[in-house]
Amino acid sequence: MSRAKYLTGDKEGIEEFLARFDTFLFDCDGVLWSGDHMFPGTKETLEMLRAKDKRLVFVTNNSTKSRADYKKKFDKMGIPSDVEEVFGSAYSAAIYVSRILKLPSPKNKVYVLGEAGIETELDSENVPHIGGTDPSLRRDITQADFDGLADGSLLDPDVGVVLSGLDFHVNYLKLAHAFTYLRKGAVFLATNTDSTLPMSHTLFLGAGAIGSPLVTAYGKDPVALGKPSQAMMDAIEGKFKLDRNRTCMVGDRLNTDIQFGIEGGLGGTLLVLTGVTQKEEIMGEDKVVVPSVYVDKLGDLLG
Amino acid sequence: MSRAKYLTGDKEGIEEFLARFDTFLFDCDGVLWSGDHMFPGTKETLEMLRAKDKRLVFVTNNSTKSRADYKKKFDKMGIPSDVEEVFGSAYSAAIYVSRILKLPSPKNKVYVLGEAGIETELDSENVPHIGGTDPSLRRDITQADFDGLADGSLLDPDVGVVLSGLDFHVNYLKLAHAFTYLRKGAVFLATNTDSTLPMSHTLFLGAGAIGSPLVTAYGKDPVALGKPSQAMMDAIEGKFKLDRNRTCMVGDRLNTDIQFGIEGGLGGTLLVLTGVTQKEEIMGEDKVVVPSVYVDKLGDLLG
């Protein structure tokens, strides 16, 4: 595997690279910003790409936000965007349930471990759901819960899917519901399986970590609908009718973003070093996942 | 690997088997009882063994209870016992921190993900600790928490160990604290790594499931102090001065109890089918972990 080309400061190399693509798929957290901190040059870089008539798609594994929520985030950060440019893992999961899984109603109800973003996107695809932000589940588990889950009296017989995403309000009660539905035969889906979440300039626990109690207890992995799952790439291609050869994936993670682009057969991948991946991780001949090019930060594309 | 011998109804086989041992190590949940339901014959079987001058040790991976709590559970179930007969994973972990790890004070503080049982046993070994049942951690995480964990202002500089056990009050805030301490270099311990917990005649999430977000996010496994970790067997042997050849492990799980006994070089292992393991799992020549003998339920040893 050849080494990635370093483009920071290489004006000519940048020009040449950008000219190879019509579409840029962007990871957001760790690429454009970290939490509420925008990286320098982000806005100007996106403007430069738009000025060159590039199509931009913001592909995020963050399942806590709906596409509309994400649009608000762009607005708040002062970055012009359109809600149709946003493609999140919650939306990807909703599409998977409604258009691919297509369980017969009423046995198509989804038990959600996650935040409002998932619920909004399930609603947009008319998929019934329980769990999620239900305030009655934000409490300690009781003996009555253990008994009622064990004898089935607390279970909704229409639940056919457990969808696990990032839940900042995770607790034992919610996990026990999800685990019991899985044991009863529900299909196991995850919006994404990122182990960590870049926030406040450091890392916290990601959706893959929060859902891992279910994986450990149930002993089976979910079907993941976020990067690097090619189910998400197929959905993006279907929606945007893109030419994979002339599409570049931009991200900060080798094992999600860059792998997503490589496995999807895209024309190129660009790694930024403002997120999870450190420079050392792409050096050396023995690396398996290597981006086409890398820069210290996205803004370095301004040359 | 030879097949396990089935002893239910085999009066002669039972007599012969029991005569081979002075000491019986018992798993509790799934063997003596399930939750608050005692299996028929449990009390009489333990009395029969005591009448034959067998020493009984109750070896439990349940970290939510201290040895004293466990004694109360035996009292409540009407089973005579002594607190010194109880050997739990929380006690095992406390001994590991105080007598084996021996970090220099004051950098030996333990951040606990777990219930009061762990705190009680750490106290019994004079190990300082935070987290655990601290009521100020039983709430939603806020942006101030993210920032304070990121910049270190919310961290206790003396924490040198993260100890993960079963926590029915797990939440994102507690996991975020534990994860941040791990990233700062704390030693990663777990009371036990059972993926599931038998309760109310079914399975719920065990300590191994509840701690798995830390394993997933941090990318490293903890040193586990419960079964089947031989650190626990060594501690039991040290305390009870037992002859391993004349000791039998009794349990309901192949991959914790029975493996624990086999790896520990005990004279025998006895599987009961009242818990996790189903009969099919020990049949066939291809099985790796096979008990010496098995019975449908512990009470079958009465003949």
Side-chain angles (χ1 to χ4, degrees):
Chain A
M1 188 67 65
S2 66
R3 272 172 55 176
K5 191 174 179 195
Y6 182 52
L7 289 189
T8 290
D10 177 1
K11 225 176 171 65
E12 200 176 312
I14 292 169
E15 279 302 318
E16 207 174 301
F17 187 74
L18 297 183
R20 287 167 48 197
F21 308 105
D22 303 322
T23 302
F24 287 83
L25 309 181
F26 283 94
D27 178 41
C28 302
D29 280 310
V31 175
L32 309 179
W33 56 63
S34 173
D36 283 330
H37 168 76
M38 183 139 76
F39 298 126
T42 292
K43 193 181 164 187
E44 295 78 5
T45 305
L46 297 179
E47 277 169 5
M48 175 270 287
L49 292 170
R50 285 190 197 280
K52 288 182 190 290
D53 267 341
K54 309 295 186 188
R55 179 166 47 187
L56 311 184
V57 181
F58 303 102
V59 181
T60 169
N61 273 7
N62 185 335
S63 65
T64 63
K65 292 187 170 66
S66 66
R67 286 167 297 156
D69 292 333
Y70 240 77
K71 169 73 171 83
K72 280 181 215 152
K73 168 99 185 184
F74 278 88
D75 292 348
K76 185 180 149 200
M77 302 301 267
I79 302 177
S81 70
D82 186 282
V83 70
E84 292 300 321
E85 291 176 334
V86 179
F87 206 95
S89 65
Y91 181 56
S92 183
I95 285 180
Y96 185 85
V97 173
S98 65
R99 306 187 195 180
I100 296 172
L101 210 55
K102 287 193 276 194
L103 297 177
S105 176
K107 302 284 184 189
N108 62 341
K109 198 177 279 186
V110 175
Y111 181 86
V112 175
L113 180 73
E115 300 284 345
I118 297 178
E119 297 174 319
T120 304
E121 300 295 17
L122 289 173
D123 287 340
S124 79
E125 289 287 311
N126 296 312
V127 176
H129 56 85
I130 60 169
T133 60
D134 181 350
S136 74
L137 293 173
R138 292 193 179 171
R139 59 176 178 80
D140 291 344
I141 193 165
T142 65
Q143 188 59 48
D145 293 315
F146 282 116
D147 294 340
L149 289 170
D151 68 20
S153 61
L154 285 178
L155 298 176
D156 183 328
D158 291 340
V159 168
V161 176
V162 167
L163 173 56
S164 168
L166 182 55
D167 190 344
F168 291 118
H169 303 83
V170 65
N171 62 31
Y172 196 97
L173 180 64
K174 292 182 180 189
L175 290 168
H177 273 86
F179 178 51
T180 307
Y181 283 120
L182 290 174
R183 294 190 72 222
K184 296 272 176 193
V187 175
F188 190 13
L189 305 181
T191 55
N192 61 304
T193 53
D194 297 61
S195 58
T196 55
L197 175 75
M199 249 184 112
S200 303
H201 302 260
T202 185
L203 295 179
F204 287 94
L205 297 102
I210 295 307
S212 63
L214 300 177
V215 179
T216 301
Y218 187 48
K220 289 181 195 165
D221 285 317
V223 172
L225 280 310
K227 297 169 286 182
S229 164
Q230 290 302 312
M232 194 183 208
M233 185 67 86
D234 293 345
I236 293 171
E237 182 182 41
K239 174 163 176 170
F240 296 100
K241 312 289 175 214
L242 49 83
D243 176 354
R244 293 197 186 206
N245 268 325
R246 293 196 52 83
T247 299
C248 175
M249 177 71 208
V250 185
D252 70 309
R253 289 185 188 233
L254 293 176
N255 63 353
T256 50
D257 303 319
I258 303 305
Q259 191 178 331
F260 180 65
I262 292 172
E263 286 184 1
L266 300 190
T269 54
L270 188 159
L271 178 79
V272 296
L273 297 177
T274 41
V276 168
T277 305
Q278 303 296 310
K279 196 168 184 167
E280 297 73 45
E281 295 173 58
I282 55 167
M283 308 307 281
E285 297 296 323
D286 59 329
K287 306 302 178 187
V288 177
V289 179
V290 179
S292 318
V293 299
Y294 70 105
V295 289
D296 294 336
K297 61 177 188 299
L298 186 64
D300 291 351
L301 292 181
L302 293 169
Chain B
M1 188 69 64
S2 66
R3 273 174 53 178
K5 191 174 179 193
Y6 181 52
L7 288 189
T8 290
D10 177 0
K11 226 176 171 64
E12 200 176 313
I14 292 169
E15 279 303 318
E16 206 174 301
F17 186 74
L18 298 184
R20 287 166 48 196
F21 308 105
D22 302 322
T23 302
F24 288 83
L25 309 182
F26 283 94
D27 177 43
C28 302
D29 280 311
V31 175
L32 310 179
W33 56 64
S34 173
D36 284 330
H37 167 77
M38 183 138 78
F39 298 126
T42 291
K43 192 180 163 186
E44 295 77 5
T45 305
L46 297 179
E47 278 169 4
M48 175 270 286
L49 291 171
R50 287 191 196 278
K52 288 182 189 292
D53 268 339
K54 308 296 187 188
R55 180 168 44 188
L56 312 184
V57 180
F58 302 102
V59 182
T60 170
N61 274 6
N62 185 336
S63 65
T64 63
K65 291 188 169 68
S66 67
R67 287 167 298 156
D69 291 334
Y70 240 79
K71 169 74 170 85
K72 279 182 214 152
K73 169 98 185 187
F74 279 88
D75 293 347
K76 186 180 149 198
M77 302 300 268
I79 302 178
S81 70
D82 186 283
V83 70
E84 292 301 322
E85 292 175 333
V86 179
F87 205 96
S89 65
Y91 181 55
S92 183
I95 285 180
Y96 184 85
V97 173
S98 65
R99 306 186 196 180
I100 297 172
L101 210 53
K102 287 193 276 194
L103 296 178
S105 177
K107 302 285 184 189
N108 62 341
K109 199 177 278 186
V110 176
Y111 181 86
V112 176
L113 180 73
E115 301 283 346
I118 297 177
E119 297 173 319
T120 304
E121 300 295 18
L122 288 174
D123 288 339
S124 78
E125 290 285 312
N126 296 312
V127 176
H129 55 86
I130 58 170
T133 61
D134 182 349
S136 73
L137 293 174
R138 291 194 179 170
R139 59 175 177 81
D140 292 344
I141 193 165
T142 65
Q143 188 58 49
D145 294 314
F146 282 116
D147 294 341
L149 288 170
D151 68 21
S153 61
L154 285 177
L155 299 176
D156 184 327
D158 290 340
V159 168
V161 177
V162 167
L163 173 55
S164 167
L166 183 55
D167 190 344
F168 292 117
H169 304 82
V170 65
N171 62 31
Y172 196 97
L173 180 64
K174 292 181 179 188
L175 291 169
H177 273 85
F179 177 51
T180 306
Y181 283 120
L182 290 175
R183 294 190 73 221
K184 296 270 176 194
V187 175
F188 189 15
L189 305 180
T191 56
N192 61 305
T193 53
D194 296 63
S195 58
T196 56
L197 174 77
M199 250 184 110
S200 303
H201 302 260
T202 187
L203 295 178
F204 287 93
L205 297 100
I210 294 307
S212 63
L214 301 178
V215 179
T216 301
Y218 187 47
K220 289 181 195 164
D221 285 319
V223 172
L225 279 312
K227 296 169 288 180
S229 163
Q230 290 302 312
M232 194 182 207
M233 186 67 86
D234 294 343
I236 292 171
E237 183 183 40
K239 174 164 176 169
F240 295 102
K241 312 288 177 213
L242 49 81
D243 176 353
R244 293 197 187 206
N245 266 324
R246 292 196 54 83
T247 299
C248 176
M249 176 72 208
V250 185
D252 70 309
R253 288 184 188 234
L254 294 177
N255 64 353
T256 50
D257 303 320
I258 303 307
Q259 191 179 330
F260 180 64
I262 292 172
E263 287 184 1
L266 300 189
T269 53
L270 189 158
L271 178 79
V272 296
L273 298 177
T274 41
V276 169
T277 305
Q278 303 297 307
K279 195 168 185 168
E280 299 72 45
E281 295 173 58
I282 55 167
M283 308 308 282
E285 298 295 323
D286 58 330
K287 306 303 178 189
V288 176
V289 179
V290 179
S292 317
V293 300
Y294 70 105
V295 290
D296 293 336
K297 61 177 187 299
L298 185 65
D300 292 351
L301 291 181
L302 293 167

